Amino acid sequence: MKLKTKIAAVLTLTAVAGAAFAQQALKPEEMIKFRKAGYSFMSWNMGKIKAQVVDAPQSFNKDQVLAAARLVAATANSGMGALYGPGTDQDVGGEKTRVKPEFFQQREEVGKLAQAFNREANELAKVAESGDPAAIKAQFGKTGETCKACHDKFRKD
């Protein structure tokens, strides 16, 4: 094995081990805080897309829409499911959660909804590359529907 390959393997293993350790070391309130931040970040970027393909299509800027769509997809695929660990089903340490208890009891359904969201978020990023505002608007709607499906089932008002 060449030295560069060995170094790359060691760095990869170190990153994976570090990420796993970091997840295990999070307190429930930190998990809630980080997942809320992730969803807020995605919401902000979805708002940027909406502003350009729904609210004011005359101001369409492909680069801004593409950047926002890529950030939504990257956040969706970041492994946020790990932030729903034990003790995050209720308010803790000053962090409030709006997750219904059913979320933690219906893991199979949650998984299906999460996969649908990830799939549509990835498709949004792909469609945004085309620069076609009508296609982006249609995919934006599909992506938003997957958000709504989870909110309707598992989020407290």
Side-chain angles (χ1 to χ4, degrees):
M1 185 182 272
K2 293 184 177 184
L3 181 59
K4 286 183 181 179
T5 305
K6 287 180 182 179
I7 292 172
V10 168
L11 289 174
T12 300
L13 287 172
T14 302
V16 170
F21 177 74
Q23 285 298 328
Q24 293 171 352
L26 291 178
K27 297 175 186 173
E29 57 268 28
E30 292 171 322
M31 289 184 206
I32 293 170
K33 180 173 118 179
F34 292 147
R35 73 182 185 219
K36 286 175 17 182
Y39 291 122
S40 292
F41 187 64
M42 284 192 289
S43 176
W44 178 59
N45 280 284
M46 289 289 283
K48 291 180 353 184
I49 297 167
K50 180 180 182 282
Q52 294 196 35
V53 299
V54 177
D55 299 338
Q58 69 278 8
S59 68
F60 181 78
N61 180 307
K62 178 188 174 185
D63 293 333
Q64 289 179 0
V65 170
L66 179 57
R70 285 178 173 165
L71 287 167
V72 169
T75 306
N77 290 290
S78 68
M80 287 182 53
L83 299 175
Y84 289 90
T88 67
D89 58 336
Q90 55 193 356
D91 298 349
V92 62
E95 288 296 329
K96 297 187 182 299
T97 183
R98 297 192 316 184
V99 177
K100 291 180 180 177
E102 295 85 0
F103 180 94
F104 296 90
Q105 299 158 0
Q106 299 175 21
R107 290 296 200 178
E108 188 173 322
E109 178 65 17
V110 169
K112 288 178 187 176
L113 292 171
Q115 287 175 359
F117 173 65
N118 288 4
R119 183 174 52 251
E120 297 302 340
N122 290 333
E123 187 64 20
L124 179 60
K126 182 178 172 186
V127 171
E129 290 178 10
S130 75
D132 178 352
I136 296 167
K137 181 179 178 181
Q139 185 57 40
F140 173 81
K142 291 177 185 177
T143 306
E145 284 299 314
T146 62
C147 296
K148 185 178 181 329
C150 190
H151 290 186
D152 287 349
K153 188 153 187 144
F154 296 114
R155 185 171 137 183
K156 298 175 195 171
D157 292 330

